[in-house]
Amino acid sequence: MTVTPWKVNTEKNQELIEFARTCLNHTPHDDDNYQRMISGMSYNPAEQQLTKVRMEIRDYLLDYGQFRFRNYASADEFANAKREYLEKFIGHVGTGTFMEYPIYFDYGFNTYLGKNFYSNFNLTILDCSVVKIGDNVLCGTNVSILTPSHPIDPNLRVYSAEAQPRKEEEEEEEEEEEEEGEEENADGGDKGGDEKVLENAFPVTIGDNCWLCGGCTIIGGVTIGEGCVIGAGSVVTRDVPANSLVMGVPARVVKRMDPKDKSIDLRQLMKEYKVQEYETAAYNVN
């Protein structure tokens, strides 16, 4: 039988660990299991500290939906209150950030949001590893950024704890549990097992001035250069060069664009396109 190799790192990523230590709030950056998690190594997702954070963040995410515009004097005040709340559980929240509700995170503390970040409804960031997002990034509805991974081969993906050496007292406890569960199983009940799931995660980096269109998915291990557009419904499985338009499943480059030219007279271009200048609220500066 041939076992499909598992893409997993065997050494800690010291650069990522240092980034977590210096640039992200709320992380247990000195914890060995945490360091393994963000480094692409196998780690224990059921470890007590990580489990506690994953459960607590569900409360934060639900409470984020309790903000009411009617309780604030202006759109700016409303936006600033929401951004300050996000700082309670997200690793870094840049100025001008606004995220429509609902949002979903695994941990929150492994996510870095640059300035003027905007996400439309239903953004999902599974940030088991570090997610770095640059300045002026837009996310359409239902965008997913997914860092975790599991072995493709089912022989590796799930394993039984019974395969591990156990102490005599553990075996005795298990025998007692089996006796207590015999009656339930005789009636067709599911005794359950001690199966464990192998997991690791790879970081995602998204450069400045990118637009992630509705329904696109970014897979762990991907770096997207600045100035890119990810087409609606695309699944990005490999790095994207700067200033590229990518589309499809899996996504591929369909157009290369010139880098942003800061010398261009934007106001003159706006006049040519008959775009009027107007003031915008802080939450919508993009």
Side-chain angles (χ1 to χ4, degrees), residues 39-63:
S39 297
M41 303 176 70
S42 64
Y43 73 100
N44 179 15
E47 184 267 335
Q48 185 176 5
Q49 185 177 26
L50 293 181
T51 299
K52 184 173 183 289
V53 173
R54 286 199 309 276
M55 297 303 104
E56 287 178 340
I57 197 172
R58 283 152 173 75
D59 291 342
Y60 280 117
L61 298 178
L62 288 172
D63 291 346

Side-chain angles (χ1 to χ4, degrees), residues 77-131:
E77 184 179 321
F78 175 64
N80 288 333
K82 297 193 75 173
R83 182 182 58 78
E84 290 175 1
Y85 181 81
L86 293 172
E87 292 176 343
K88 293 183 178 181
F89 61 92
I90 295 178
H92 180 273
V93 181
T95 57
T97 290
F98 189 86
M99 306 181 77
E100 301 285 5
Y101 180 82
I103 53 177
Y104 305 97
F105 289 86
D106 253 348
Y107 295 97
F109 58 42
N110 278 336
T111 296
Y112 181 101
L113 303 177
K115 294 183 297 184
N116 301 326
F117 174 78
Y118 174 80
S119 64
N120 217 316
F121 306 104
N122 282 318
L123 171 68
T124 297
I125 300 181
L126 303 188
D127 55 347
C128 299
S129 189
V130 173
V131 175

Side-chain angles (χ1 to χ4, degrees), residues 197-230:
V197 176
L198 289 177
E199 181 175 314
N200 66 328
F202 296 99
V204 168
T205 300
I206 300 169
D208 297 341
N209 304 311
C210 287
W211 174 22
L212 280 58
C213 299
C216 71
T217 300
I218 316 299
I219 302 300
V222 163
T223 295
I224 298 174
E226 64 178 16
C228 288
V229 177
I230 311 301

Side-chain angles (χ1 to χ4, degrees), residues 12-23 38-39 130 132:
K12 292 182 180 180
N13 186 323
Q14 296 300 329
E15 182 178 346
L16 271 184
I17 293 170
E18 183 61 21
F19 180 84
R21 178 178 290 111
T22 58
C23 299
I38 67 173
S39 297
V130 173
K132 303 178 190 177

